[in-house]
Amino acid sequence: MPRRMTMTEKILAAHAGRADVTPGDSVWVNVDVLMTHDVCGPGAIGIFEEQFGKNARVWDPARIPIIPDHYIFTADEKAHRNIGILRDFVKRQGITYYYDPEFVSMQPGMPNPYRGPNNTTYKGVCHKALPEEGHCRPGEIMLGTDSHTCTAGAFGEFSTGVGNTDAAFTMGTGKTWLKVPPTMKFTFHGEIPPYLTAKDLILAVIGDIGFDGATYNAMYFTGDGVASLSLEDRMTLTNMAIEAGGKNGICDVDEKTLAYVRARSNRPDWTVYEEDAGAAYCYEKAWDLGAFEPLVAAPHSPDNTRTARECSDVKLDRAYIGSCTGGKITDMIFAANILNGHAVKIPTFVVPGSTEVHSDMLRLNIFGQPVGTPGSDASMANSPAVHKSIYQVLLDAGCNIGASSCAACLGGPKDTFGRLNEPIQCISTTNRNFPGRMGHKQAGVWLASPLTVAASALTGLVTDPREFVSTPIETGGAGLV
């Protein structure tokens, strides 16, 4: 009789052609999707061609999406060169899904941004573009040459980052070798309060177990508290599994997941796996969301967590809203609801996580409805905010809004939008705050939710968002289908 297994174990067993697997087993598995981008793609391509031959063909050109996103808006010539390498490879191999920043030329200088978010083949941050473009499905194995590939676990799949050598092998064979990770179970009870987002939840987890507390473990997020989250907020949970050392993060599949995948998937079939009752976990912990407070992670580690209230005397120089963690459309709605009708006190940089998010910021109001359409709260039907886009609300508040990209999340060249080029203090919706992560090695990065970042932008101090929000923020159909 097959052993009782977790979702992660079931997915790995199925892809290994086995009835069951046990943590610690090493198995060859078939890979469904391999993603790469402009930073690691050229290296992976180089190894592939060195090991398989210059004229070798990839295992399946329809299963290798290539999504440039990291060093796009820069004059750095090596960054432009990387785009050229990707274009050449895509042409030679006939790669089906390549999202080209067509505005990047091989000429010196800063590229002009895309003409508009709906008039470009460029898609923005890979981890947001992958589900938008139909590459995420329950029950699959996704690899990516980026540590935050674990984001896609929100869709009930095994998704993890790999190095260039492993990626090159998969390019040529469609397979990889994995050790089955033990699973840690994190249960959240209750409905999420209006002053919290999933960023607060994952910071609590990392604060409890440490930045290495889940090393090579699967992190399973469950409970009615996770069920109450939007699909985008679940992506925030799984996105930061790697900040605890996790091999992957994964959530249960429900109708929210399936509605999105049915509308978006570029393949017709997938398999939904569920945890077996009695499956074994190497660690378990549960939280009551009603007892949570908004959190921040102080410099210089994601596990250096404190309540926002405890840090109210921390003076800030900058706020940053963006990245695969905090640049989704629901993140923008959360921030815009707090900033609406106010002016920021410190420079505040906003970077949409994808060109679709950028488009939605222009199309939707702060209630998640098309501009001109009120939300469900009748008392707000005549609010001027009904007739303003999210983008306009942020502009009116004094935010600097950039084009979609990874931008300053990982520092990048010195001309990167929002980069910390001085030893300043920044509160950010990003995922890492190690020294130098967003630029200057002496800069301090305070990780927080979009609600806390927006509230802090208005005061210039780390600020508990409960000072500005007490009722649920509507998101309408934003971030769904």
Side-chain angles (χ1 to χ4, degrees):
M1 178 179 177
R3 65 182 292 272
R4 294 174 178 177
M5 292 188 289
T6 66
M7 291 171 68
T8 291
E9 291 162 3
K10 287 183 177 182
I11 293 168
L12 295 180
H15 285 72
R18 291 172 51 162
D20 58 40
V21 294
T22 300
D25 288 351
S26 293
V27 292
W28 284 103
V29 295
N30 295 315
V31 175
D32 295 292
V33 176
L34 169 70
M35 182 279 300
T36 192
H37 51 51
D38 54 305
V39 172
C40 296
I45 290 166
I47 298 169
F48 166 77
E49 293 182 343
E50 177 185 273
Q51 297 298 319
F52 288 91
K54 193 75 174 176
N55 297 319
R57 309 300 297 174
V58 298
W59 113 90
D60 189 336
R63 292 181 180 268
I64 306 175
I66 299 180
I67 311 176
D69 61 352
H70 277 59
Y71 300 151
I72 305 300
F73 299 102
T74 174
D76 187 283
E77 292 183 7
K78 291 181 180 177
H80 297 180
R81 174 208 62 192
N82 280 5
I83 300 298
I85 292 171
L86 296 182
R87 288 171 177 163
D88 290 345
F89 183 74
V90 165
K91 185 176 181 179
R92 291 197 308 273
Q93 294 285 343
I95 298 296
T96 307
Y97 300 107
Y98 171 59
Y99 304 103
D100 187 50
E102 75 287 338
F103 44 85
V104 176
S105 72
M106 296 301 104
Q107 301 303 313
M110 175 73 75
N112 291 320
Y114 43 81
R115 296 186 301 278
N118 299 318
N119 297 307
T120 179
T121 53
Y122 171 68
K123 296 300 178 183
V125 182
C126 58
H127 309 301
K128 188 68 178 73
L130 282 166
E132 289 173 352
E133 299 304 314
H135 301 290
C136 296
R137 285 167 290 273
E140 293 197 344
I141 290 181
M142 174 185 285
L143 305 182
T145 58
D146 188 290
S147 61
H148 288 108
T149 303
C150 51
T151 305
F155 295 86
E157 63 183 302
F158 179 88
S159 191
T160 193
V162 295
N164 291 350
T165 303
D166 286 328
F169 182 84
T170 300
M171 271 187 190
T173 65
K175 299 179 182 295
T176 196
W177 194 45
L178 290 169
K179 184 170 74 171
V180 178
T183 295
M184 305 173 78
K185 183 179 182 180
F186 303 96
T187 305
F188 294 94
H189 296 297
E191 189 164 344
I192 191 164
Y195 49 82
L196 298 178
T197 77
K199 184 65 168 289
D200 300 290
L201 277 56
I202 191 61
L203 288 180
V205 170
I206 297 168
D208 274 7
I209 66 175
F211 71 89
D212 59 352
T215 299
Y216 210 93
N217 289 342
M219 299 178 73
Y220 169 50
F221 302 102
T222 189
D224 54 343
V226 174
S228 77
L229 299 177
S230 70
L231 193 53
E232 288 202 335
D233 238 10
R234 294 178 201 174
M235 290 170 66
T236 301
L237 279 181
T238 53
N239 171 271
M240 288 189 67
I242 187 60
E243 271 66 53
K247 181 65 175 175
N248 66 301
I250 197 164
C251 295
D252 297 304
V253 175
D254 61 10
E255 187 52 38
K256 292 178 185 178
T257 321
L258 293 174
Y260 188 100
V261 173
R262 290 186 198 111
R264 303 269 189 162
S265 176
N266 55 30
R267 291 183 180 272
D269 302 312
W270 53 84
T271 303
V272 175
Y273 294 98
E274 298 178 354
E275 300 277 306
D276 283 337
Y281 303 103
C282 63
Y283 176 92
E284 295 185 58
K285 182 158 184 179
W287 289 267
D288 176 5
L289 292 181
F292 259 62
E293 289 193 54
L295 298 176
V296 297
H300 292 284
S301 179
D303 64 358
N304 192 13
T305 52
R306 307 170 190 175
T307 66
R309 182 171 45 85
E310 290 172 328
C311 302
S312 61
D313 60 344
V314 173
K315 186 178 182 300
L316 300 166
D317 304 294
R318 180 173 297 183
Y320 186 94
I321 301 168
S323 83
C324 53
T325 317
K328 303 178 291 298
I329 188 59
T330 48
D331 298 317
M332 298 299 172
I333 291 173
F334 291 147
N337 269 269
I338 285 184
L339 296 176
N340 181 42
H342 301 288
V344 296
K345 194 169 183 179
I346 54 177
T348 300
F349 290 79
V350 177
V351 184
S354 68
T355 50
E356 181 175 303
V357 172
H358 190 164
S359 177
D360 283 346
M361 289 169 67
L362 295 166
R363 183 178 66 86
L364 302 177
N365 59 29
I366 64 171
F367 308 106
Q369 302 293 338
V371 171
T373 304
S376 62
D377 186 349
S379 68
M380 298 296 291
N382 296 317
S383 168
V386 170
H387 303 284
K388 280 188 179 182
S389 68
I390 297 164
Y391 196 95
Q392 191 61 52
V393 167
L394 297 175
L395 279 182
D396 289 350
C399 297
N400 303 300
I401 306 178
S404 173
S405 72
C406 294
C409 175
L410 73 163
K414 286 193 174 181
D415 58 358
T416 298
F417 182 80
R419 187 183 192 272
L420 309 184
N421 288 328
E422 300 174 284
I424 60 177
Q425 298 295 307
C426 175
I427 190 163
S428 177
T429 65
T430 52
N431 42 52
R432 288 181 183 157
N433 59 349
F434 306 126
R437 170 68 180 181
M438 291 186 70
H440 199 287
K441 289 183 179 179
Q442 276 74 55
V445 177
W446 298 74
L447 303 178
S449 78
L451 294 173
T452 301
V453 172
S456 302
L458 294 178
T459 65
L461 302 167
V462 173
T463 301
D464 189 316
R466 287 177 290 187
E467 295 185 22
F468 295 91
V469 60
S470 58
T471 58
I473 293 175
E474 291 186 51
T475 57
L480 301 178
V481 296

